[in-house]
Amino acid sequence: MTGFLGRLAADHVRAGDPTGWFEPLYASGATVPWDVPQASAHLRAHPLPPGDGRRALVVGCGPGRDAEHIAAAGYATTAFDISPTAIDLARSRHPSTAVDYVVADLLAPPPEWHQAFDLVLESNNIQALPRPIRAAAIAAVGSFVAPGGTLLVLAAASVTGDPEGPPWPLTSAEMASFAVDGLRLLSLTQTAAPDSRLNTRWKATLTR
Ligand SMILES: C[S@@+](CC[C@H](N)C(=O)[O-])C[C@H]1O[C@@H](n2cnc3c(N)ncnc32)[C@H](O)[C@@H]1O
């Protein structure tokens, strides 16, 4: 990807700080491409069972639109991001929110989140991380899922145009690699998303 975001990401990846570009990006006030008015169309198209107060965790929540969608389905929702500015933005966008917005790092999460959530959403975050740190990030996502819980993974499978990331689409091997440490794949689909630069999309559901 070219432009400010692409240069910022490339500079940080080159400097060995592959997650260090998100905070300066949000803090710059630049419009990030994933800051759209509604929850992800792919999340909205996924039938969520009523939460009935069960716990949900939204990984890399950004400005919070997906977290608000999940909370509205009745889940006691925690949502986290590595960027303090993104968390401030999520809180200010949703002043009456029931979501607990938290600054945290997927690669060093709070120990009490281990297998603590009935629903975990990973949407479009792993694809923004360079390949060498993905195995650890994927394992961390899976570690949040409680016994009997569900992990929903939404991700780019391919992009059109400029092949320089981010995003760096997930391979089928990376999608399969969510199914470790007692997690098993319930479904894995790849669908066309012709209106988007991320022109094919993965959706996986897993349980433990
Ligand atoms: C491409 S954006 C996607 C945001 C959101 N999930 C969505 O689909 O709109 C990636 C998000 O992950 C966050 N992020 C990146 N690395 C992270 C980490 N190690 N821990 C927590 N959040 C992280 C970024 O700050 C950013 O908000």
Side-chain angles (χ1 to χ4, degrees), residues 3 10 28 33 53 64 71 82 94 96 99 109-110 112 115 119 127 145 148 153 155 165 170 186-187 189 192-193 207:
S28 74
I82 198 170
H94 309 102
S96 323
V99 175
E112 63 271 21
Q115 296 192 11
L119 173 67
Q127 67 195 40
V145 182
V153 182
L170 273 70
L186 296 173
S187 66
T189 57
T207 191

Side-chain angles (χ1 to χ4, degrees), residues 19 22-23 26 34 59-62 65-66 80-83 86 104-107 123-125 127-129:
T19 61
F22 296 99
E23 173 56 18
Y26 281 110
W34 53 87
V59 177
C61 63
R65 68 195 199 289
D66 290 353
F80 75 99
D81 203 285
I82 198 170
S83 162
D105 183 354
L106 174 62
L107 299 172
S123 177
N124 296 344
N125 304 310
Q127 67 195 40
L129 304 176

Side-chain angles (χ1 to χ4, degrees), residues 72-174:
Y75 290 84
T77 305
T78 300
F80 75 99
D81 203 285
I82 198 170
S83 162
T85 302
I87 292 300
D88 285 346
L89 190 58
R91 289 183 183 137
S92 66
R93 289 264 180 93
H94 309 102
S96 323
T97 190
V99 175
D100 185 17
Y101 286 106
V102 179
V103 177
D105 183 354
L106 174 62
L107 299 172
E112 63 271 21
W113 288 0
H114 185 75
Q115 296 192 11
F117 295 91
D118 304 299
L119 173 67
V120 176
L121 173 67
E122 157 50 40
S123 177
N124 296 344
N125 304 310
I126 304 290
Q127 67 195 40
L129 304 176
R131 301 214 183 265
I133 63 169
R134 285 189 182 182
I138 287 170
V141 166
S143 76
F144 302 135
V145 182
T150 300
L151 168 60
L152 174 61
V153 182
L154 303 171
S158 65
V159 292
T160 51
D162 184 357
E164 287 296 309
W168 298 279
L170 273 70
T171 64
S172 53
E174 285 173 327

